[in-house]
Amino acid sequence: FSATHRDAVPQARTRSPHRRRETTLDTMFAVSTQFGATARVSPARALRSADRRRASPRVSVPVRSAASASEPVDEDARAMSRRALMSTAFAAAALPTLAARAGEMSDSKMVGAYLPEAENEPGFASFVATPPRTPALRAGALNPYRVNLPANWKEAPVSNARSGNYCQPRCDEATTEVQFTEPGSGSLQIIIIPTTKLLIAKQDPSIEDVGDINGILDAISPAITGSVAVEAEEVASAKTVSIDGKSYYRYELVTPFAETGLHNVAVVSTNKNYVMIATIGASEKQYAKSEGDLKKILDSFRC
């Protein structure tokens, strides 16, 4: 460019970025000295110090005081503290289990909470059905009956349709009197069938009057299984027992097509003009766990 042209174009006033940074730092870095005065630090030195501070990691080192370092460590106290901590942890872990057991024992729906204890059978409660406990008892169609149950079993509701509430004492089909259950053990039902349905005209017949042990099973097994009739190969055992001069037919069945479970055990006799069945259905797992209790329930049945 010519001198004239250079004179015509004003020179831009620029400042180096480094210069701006030094100027800023020059105004910022004023530090206090030990005598209370302030001293200015050169910008370059301030930058180097700042860079070193950023590059150096800060490490916090715990320092034990001289007094604590000189104190001996009490190993017994440390062990006791550890044991106390572990005891607290175990207690906290056990609380939910204890609470669950306490809640189970205080469940007012369990028969053990409101029925009397069974005689000569610890852990069992005695259920006695008397009027007006069921529609059939209210109608005078049955005599009272009883059965012992494990204390943790609960009574299950029976619908009006199944109980015969709308037709007693003239129901001509099987009806369910009561039902008790325990999820880990099985389900007990007490079922009645009019003897007239089995073509028995005699009043107050005995179970032998109604039929023999095999014939009765053929007639009533759908009520036991909740579905189909029992085949001969599904009968594990069948026998007659006499209690207080009254005969009862007892059955142990393995019923793979039953709605009530693979295993069914039942006791059958008569009550006035009804065949009365106490039957328990259980799965394989339930039966393996509670077979003894299930048989005790049926052994206690009286009608």
Coordinates of all heavy atoms in Angstrom, one line a residue, residues 37-82:
A37 N 0.0 -6.3 55.0 CA 0.1 -5.5 53.8 C -0.2 -6.4 52.6 O -0.2 -7.6 52.7 CB 1.4 -4.8 53.6
T38 N -0.6 -5.8 51.5 CA -0.8 -6.5 50.3 C 0.3 -6.4 49.4 O 1.0 -5.4 49.3 CB -2.1 -6.0 49.6 OG1 -1.9 -4.7 49.3 CG2 -3.3 -6.2 50.5
A39 N 0.7 -7.5 48.7 CA 1.8 -7.5 47.8 C 1.3 -8.0 46.5 O 0.4 -8.9 46.4 CB 2.9 -8.4 48.3
R40 N 1.7 -7.4 45.4 CA 1.3 -7.8 44.1 C 2.2 -8.9 43.6 O 3.4 -8.8 43.7 CB 1.3 -6.6 43.1 CG 0.4 -5.4 43.6 CD 0.4 -4.3 42.6 NE -0.3 -4.7 41.4 CZ -1.6 -4.7 41.3 NH1 -2.4 -4.3 42.3 NH2 -2.2 -5.1 40.1
V41 N 1.6 -9.9 42.9 CA 2.4 -11.0 42.4 C 2.4 -10.9 40.9 O 1.4 -10.5 40.3 CB 1.7 -12.3 42.8 CG1 2.5 -13.5 42.2 CG2 1.6 -12.4 44.3
S42 N 3.6 -11.2 40.4 CA 3.7 -11.1 38.9 C 2.7 -12.0 38.2 O 2.5 -13.2 38.7 CB 5.1 -11.4 38.5 OG 5.4 -12.8 38.6
P43 N 2.1 -11.6 37.1 CA 1.1 -12.5 36.4 C 1.7 -13.8 36.0 O 1.0 -14.8 36.1 CB 0.8 -11.6 35.2 CG 1.1 -10.2 35.6 CD 2.3 -10.3 36.5
A44 N 2.9 -13.9 35.5 CA 3.5 -15.1 35.1 C 3.6 -16.1 36.2 O 3.3 -17.3 36.1 CB 4.8 -14.9 34.4
R45 N 4.1 -15.6 37.4 CA 4.2 -16.4 38.5 C 2.8 -16.9 39.0 O 2.7 -18.1 39.4 CB 4.9 -15.7 39.6 CG 5.2 -16.5 40.9 CD 5.9 -15.7 41.9 NE 6.1 -16.5 43.1 CZ 6.7 -16.0 44.2 NH1 7.2 -14.8 44.2 NH2 6.8 -16.8 45.3
A46 N 1.9 -16.0 39.0 CA 0.5 -16.4 39.4 C 0.0 -17.5 38.5 O -0.7 -18.5 39.0 CB -0.4 -15.2 39.4
L47 N 0.2 -17.4 37.2 CA -0.3 -18.4 36.3 C 0.4 -19.8 36.6 O -0.2 -20.8 36.6 CB 0.0 -18.0 34.8 CG -0.9 -17.0 34.2 CD1 -0.4 -16.5 32.9 CD2 -2.3 -17.6 34.1
R48 N 1.7 -19.8 36.8 CA 2.4 -21.0 37.1 C 1.9 -21.7 38.4 O 1.7 -22.9 38.5 CB 3.9 -20.7 37.2 CG 4.6 -20.5 35.8 CD 6.1 -20.6 36.0 NE 6.7 -19.6 36.9 CZ 7.0 -18.4 36.6 NH1 6.9 -17.9 35.4 NH2 7.6 -17.6 37.5
S49 N 1.7 -20.8 39.4 CA 1.1 -21.4 40.7 C -0.3 -22.0 40.5 O -0.6 -23.0 41.0 CB 1.1 -20.3 41.7 OG 2.4 -19.8 42.0
A50 N -1.1 -21.3 39.7 CA -2.4 -21.8 39.5 C -2.4 -23.1 38.7 O -3.1 -24.1 39.0 CB -3.3 -20.8 38.7
D51 N -1.5 -23.2 37.7 CA -1.4 -24.4 36.9 C -0.9 -25.6 37.8 O -1.4 -26.7 37.7 CB -0.4 -24.3 35.8 CG -1.0 -23.3 34.7 OD1 -2.2 -23.2 34.7 OD2 -0.2 -22.8 33.9
R52 N 0.0 -25.3 38.7 CA 0.5 -26.4 39.6 C -0.6 -26.8 40.5 O -0.7 -28.0 40.8 CB 1.7 -25.9 40.4 CG 3.0 -25.9 39.6 CD 4.2 -25.8 40.5 NE 4.2 -24.6 41.3 CZ 4.8 -23.4 40.9 NH1 5.4 -23.4 39.8 NH2 4.8 -22.4 41.7
R53 N -1.4 -25.9 41.0 CA -2.5 -26.3 41.9 C -3.5 -27.2 41.2 O -4.1 -28.1 41.8 CB -3.2 -25.0 42.5 CG -2.4 -24.3 43.6 CD -3.3 -23.4 44.3 NE -3.7 -22.3 43.5 CZ -3.1 -21.1 43.3 NH1 -1.9 -21.0 43.8 NH2 -3.6 -20.2 42.5
R54 N -3.8 -26.8 39.9 CA -4.8 -27.6 39.2 C -4.2 -29.0 38.9 O -4.9 -30.0 38.9 CB -5.1 -26.9 37.9 CG -6.1 -25.8 38.1 CD -6.7 -25.3 36.7 NE -5.6 -24.9 35.8 CZ -5.3 -23.6 35.7 NH1 -5.8 -22.7 36.5 NH2 -4.3 -23.2 34.9
A55 N -2.9 -29.1 38.6 CA -2.3 -30.4 38.2 C -2.1 -31.3 39.4 O -2.1 -32.5 39.3 CB -1.0 -30.1 37.5
S56 N -1.9 -30.8 40.6 CA -1.6 -31.6 41.8 C -2.9 -32.1 42.4 O -3.8 -31.3 42.8 CB -0.8 -30.7 42.8 OG 0.4 -30.3 42.2
P57 N -3.1 -33.4 42.5 CA -4.3 -33.9 43.2 C -4.3 -33.6 44.7 O -3.2 -33.6 45.3 CB -4.3 -35.4 43.0 CG -2.8 -35.7 42.8 CD -2.2 -34.5 42.1
R58 N -5.5 -33.4 45.2 CA -5.6 -33.1 46.7 C -5.8 -34.4 47.4 O -6.7 -35.1 47.1 CB -6.7 -32.1 47.0 CG -6.5 -30.8 46.3 CD -7.6 -29.8 46.7 NE -7.4 -28.5 46.2 CZ -8.3 -27.5 46.4 NH1 -9.3 -27.6 47.2 NH2 -8.0 -26.3 45.8
V59 N -4.9 -34.7 48.3 CA -5.0 -35.9 49.0 C -5.2 -35.6 50.5 O -4.5 -34.8 51.1 CB -3.7 -36.8 48.9 CG1 -3.8 -38.1 49.7 CG2 -3.4 -37.1 47.4
S60 N -6.3 -36.2 51.0 CA -6.6 -36.0 52.4 C -6.1 -37.2 53.2 O -6.5 -38.3 53.0 CB -8.1 -35.9 52.6 OG -8.4 -35.7 54.0
V61 N -5.2 -36.9 54.1 CA -4.5 -37.9 54.9 C -5.0 -37.8 56.4 O -4.9 -36.8 57.0 CB -3.0 -37.8 54.9 CG1 -2.4 -38.9 55.8 CG2 -2.5 -37.9 53.5
P62 N -5.7 -38.8 56.9 CA -6.2 -38.8 58.2 C -5.0 -38.8 59.2 O -4.0 -39.5 59.0 CB -7.0 -40.0 58.4 CG -6.5 -41.0 57.4 CD -6.1 -40.1 56.2
V63 N -5.1 -37.9 60.2 CA -4.0 -37.8 61.1 C -4.5 -38.2 62.5 O -5.5 -37.7 63.0 CB -3.5 -36.3 61.2 CG1 -2.4 -36.2 62.2 CG2 -3.0 -35.9 59.8
R64 N -3.8 -39.1 63.1 CA -4.2 -39.5 64.4 C -3.5 -38.7 65.4 O -2.3 -38.5 65.4 CB -3.8 -41.0 64.6 CG -4.4 -41.6 65.9 CD -4.0 -43.1 66.0 NE -4.5 -43.7 67.2 CZ -4.3 -44.9 67.5 NH1 -3.5 -45.7 66.8 NH2 -4.7 -45.4 68.7
S65 N -4.3 -38.2 66.4 CA -3.7 -37.4 67.4 C -2.7 -38.1 68.2 O -2.7 -39.4 68.3 CB -4.7 -36.8 68.3 OG -5.4 -37.8 69.0
A66 N -1.8 -37.4 68.8 CA -0.8 -38.1 69.7 C -1.4 -38.8 70.8 O -1.0 -39.9 71.2 CB 0.3 -37.0 70.1
A67 N -2.5 -38.2 71.4 CA -3.1 -38.8 72.5 C -3.8 -40.1 72.1 O -3.6 -41.1 72.8 CB -4.2 -37.8 73.1
S68 N -4.5 -40.1 71.0 CA -5.1 -41.4 70.6 C -4.1 -42.4 70.1 O -4.3 -43.6 70.3 CB -6.1 -41.1 69.4 OG -5.4 -40.6 68.3
A69 N -3.0 -42.0 69.5 CA -2.0 -43.0 69.1 C -1.3 -43.6 70.3 O -0.9 -44.8 70.3 CB -0.9 -42.2 68.3
S70 N -1.3 -42.9 71.4 CA -0.6 -43.5 72.6 C -1.6 -44.4 73.4 O -1.1 -45.1 74.2 CB -0.1 -42.4 73.5 OG -1.2 -41.6 73.9
E71 N -2.9 -44.3 73.1 CA -3.9 -45.1 73.9 C -3.8 -46.5 73.4 O -3.9 -46.8 72.1 CB -5.3 -44.5 73.7 CG -5.4 -43.2 74.4 CD -6.8 -42.6 74.1 OE1 -7.6 -43.3 73.4 OE2 -7.1 -41.5 74.6
P72 N -3.8 -47.5 74.2 CA -3.8 -49.0 73.8 C -5.2 -49.3 73.2 O -6.2 -48.8 73.6 CB -3.5 -49.7 75.1 CG -4.0 -48.8 76.2 CD -3.7 -47.4 75.7
V73 N -5.3 -50.2 72.2 CA -6.5 -50.7 71.6 C -7.1 -51.8 72.5 O -6.5 -52.8 72.9 CB -6.3 -51.2 70.2 CG1 -7.6 -51.8 69.6 CG2 -5.7 -50.2 69.3
D74 N -8.4 -51.6 72.9 CA -9.0 -52.5 73.8 C -9.7 -53.6 72.9 O -10.8 -53.4 72.4 CB -10.1 -51.8 74.7 CG -10.6 -52.7 75.7 OD1 -10.5 -53.9 75.6 OD2 -11.2 -52.2 76.7
E75 N -9.0 -54.7 72.7 CA -9.6 -55.7 71.8 C -10.9 -56.4 72.4 O -11.7 -56.7 71.6 CB -8.5 -56.9 71.6 CG -7.3 -56.4 70.9 CD -7.5 -56.0 69.5 OE1 -8.6 -56.4 69.0 OE2 -6.7 -55.3 68.9
D76 N -11.0 -56.5 73.7 CA -12.2 -57.0 74.3 C -13.4 -56.1 73.9 O -14.5 -56.6 73.6 CB -12.1 -57.2 75.8 CG -11.1 -58.3 76.1 OD1 -10.8 -59.2 75.2 OD2 -10.6 -58.3 77.3
A77 N -13.2 -54.8 74.1 CA -14.3 -53.9 73.8 C -14.7 -54.0 72.3 O -15.8 -53.9 72.0 CB -13.9 -52.5 74.2
R78 N -13.6 -54.1 71.5 CA -13.9 -54.2 70.1 C -14.7 -55.4 69.7 O -15.7 -55.4 69.0 CB -12.6 -54.1 69.3 CG -12.8 -54.2 67.8 CD -11.5 -54.2 67.0 NE -10.9 -52.9 67.2 CZ -9.7 -52.6 66.7 NH1 -9.0 -53.5 66.0 NH2 -9.1 -51.4 66.8
A79 N -14.4 -56.6 70.4 CA -15.1 -57.8 70.1 C -16.5 -57.7 70.6 O -17.4 -58.2 70.0 CB -14.3 -59.0 70.8
M80 N -16.7 -57.1 71.8 CA -18.0 -56.9 72.3 C -18.9 -56.1 71.4 O -20.1 -56.3 71.2 CB -18.0 -56.3 73.7 CG -17.4 -57.3 74.8 SD -17.3 -56.5 76.4 CE -19.0 -56.2 76.8
S81 N -18.3 -55.0 70.9 CA -19.0 -54.1 70.0 C -19.4 -54.9 68.7 O -20.5 -54.7 68.2 CB -18.1 -52.9 69.6 OG -18.8 -52.1 68.7
R82 N -18.5 -55.7 68.2 CA -18.8 -56.5 67.0 C -20.0 -57.5 67.3 O -20.9 -57.7 66.5 CB -17.6 -57.3 66.6 CG -17.7 -57.9 65.2 CD -16.5 -58.7 64.8 NE -15.3 -57.7 64.7 CZ -14.3 -57.8 65.4 NH1 -14.2 -58.7 66.4 NH2 -13.3 -56.9 65.3

